Amino acid sequence: MDYQTLALDEHDGILTVTVHRPPARNALSQLTLTELRDLLTGLSGPRALLLTGSEGPAFIAGADIREMATMTPEEGEAFGALGQEVTRLIETLPVPVIACVDGYALGGGCEMAMACDFIYATRKAVFGQPEVLLGLIPGFGGCVRLFRRVGVAKARELIYSGRRVDAVEAQRLGLVNEVFDSRDEMFAAARLVLADIAANSPVAVSTCKSVINAVDGLGVEEGLRVELDAFRAAFTTDDMREGTAAFLAKRTPEF
Ligand code: CO8
């Protein structure tokens, strides 16, 4: 399929999705969000995804302010719902997703990154939720996901102030997994970690992702129940028989 605001590239089972709107600093327009939704709905095939922005000052400079400026409340709600749907599609994809952030990840850009499993960043990356500067609030999951990553006190501070943080501070806060000197190093490291993950049972990795998503917000007892059900289900898989047999036979498993 042809996309006007996305560039796709698939290598070794890793699909790189690049938001490509350089004149608008890769801001998320209705078209971009619709294209992301169409791409991600029912996506199967790739064993992992990298989400990034076209090379330049920004990863994604947020939701499209030009479009939002004249929206009615109903249009704003529909736009927010579309953005939330995209973040949820990313979050629940059965394969690992890494955000590769090189430049500004503001507002909806930070929210897109937070929907990914890990965030890798270059030293040039800048994160923030500056919606209140525009009379808006985070609408693509920022109020829901930021405190889960950085704790409620820091999330409140960042959301109320709109303050931007650089990559090193974002890593210290727990938002970013790793910081790299260059874009190339960041992509190489992302591919390396995905290659490591690819050596593991894909069913088990995907189950871990869905359990971690499912227990988010549950109490300990309920969470442990969800984990136990998934643990039980692992015993029905060929991967579990192969993985344990390979360990005992001192050979590499074939998943
Ligand atoms: N939307 C639309 N256009 C944008 C955006 C954006 N978010 N960001 C930049 N642009 C455009 C500029 O308008 C400018 O266009 P033009 O050339 O036509 O004037 C062009 O990109 C270049 O912008 P700058 O000259 O400002 O570029 P710089 O490299 O100097 O600065 C920044 C880059 C720091 C990223 C700066 O552009 C900036 O601060 N952008 C806005 C960042 C922001 O506030 N983002 C949050 C937006 S709100 C949001 O994301 C809410 C999400 C939830 C929505 C829920 C819906 C209900």
Side-chain angles (χ1 to χ4, degrees):
M1 207 195 273
D2 271 350
Y3 295 100
Q4 292 176 50
T5 62
L6 303 179
L8 305 184
D9 173 60
E10 193 166 344
H11 256 320
D12 303 328
I14 301 174
L15 178 64
T16 302
V17 180
T18 306
V19 175
H20 188 80
R21 290 188 73 212
R25 300 291 185 260
N26 303 325
L28 300 166
S29 62
Q30 294 172 83
L31 175 64
T32 307
L33 290 171
T34 304
E35 291 189 338
L36 282 167
R37 183 188 60 193
D38 292 350
L39 170 73
L40 297 170
T41 303
L43 182 72
S44 65
R47 63 176 168 82
L49 235 80
L50 297 182
L51 176 69
T52 194
S54 63
E55 194 164 357
F59 162 71
I60 294 172
D64 193 305
I65 300 170
R66 200 173 295 280
E67 286 186 358
M68 286 190 294
T70 55
M71 282 181 189
T72 63
E74 291 71 26
E75 289 166 342
E77 183 183 359
F79 185 54
L82 179 59
Q84 290 187 352
E85 186 183 354
V86 171
T87 59
R88 198 63 186 145
L89 280 166
I90 293 171
E91 199 164 51
T92 57
L93 221 56
V95 295
V97 184
I98 302 182
C100 288
V101 178
D102 179 34
Y104 294 104
L106 299 175
C110 189
E111 291 170 307
M112 283 292 153
M114 287 192 291
C116 299
D117 292 288
F118 322 138
I119 304 179
Y120 280 10
T122 66
R123 292 197 182 278
K124 202 181 98 191
V126 178
F127 296 83
Q129 297 290 158
E131 284 87 349
V132 293
L133 277 71
L134 301 164
L136 275 166
I137 74 157
F140 297 165
C143 295
V144 179
R145 295 194 181 96
L146 185 58
F147 77 82
R148 292 186 152 88
R149 285 185 180 249
V150 306
V152 96
K154 266 291 162 196
R156 285 176 193 270
E157 180 200 319
L158 294 177
I159 291 172
Y160 300 172
S161 70
R163 181 168 76 82
R164 297 174 182 175
V165 297
D166 65 18
V168 172
E169 184 176 357
Q171 184 182 28
R172 192 167 48 72
L173 291 173
L175 187 58
V176 162
N177 290 64
E178 296 281 346
V179 181
F180 302 92
D181 286 330
S182 72
R183 198 174 164 91
D184 286 351
E185 275 179 54
M186 172 175 67
F187 282 109
R191 290 182 173 282
L192 216 55
V193 76
L194 290 174
D196 281 350
I197 294 171
N200 303 331
S201 155
V203 185
V205 170
S206 147
T207 305
C208 290
K209 180 166 177 171
S210 66
V211 170
I212 290 169
N213 279 333
V215 302
D216 197 359
L218 296 185
V220 173
E221 290 296 336
E222 282 172 290
L224 289 174
R225 184 71 245 170
V226 170
E227 188 181 68
L228 190 57
D229 288 344
F231 185 69
R232 181 188 194 286
F235 287 77
T236 66
T237 65
D238 293 343
D239 278 11
M240 179 271 180
R241 300 297 159 199
E242 168 61 10
T244 51
F247 175 81
L248 295 172
K250 302 188 188 307
R251 62 171 174 81
T252 306
E254 281 178 37
F255 294 120

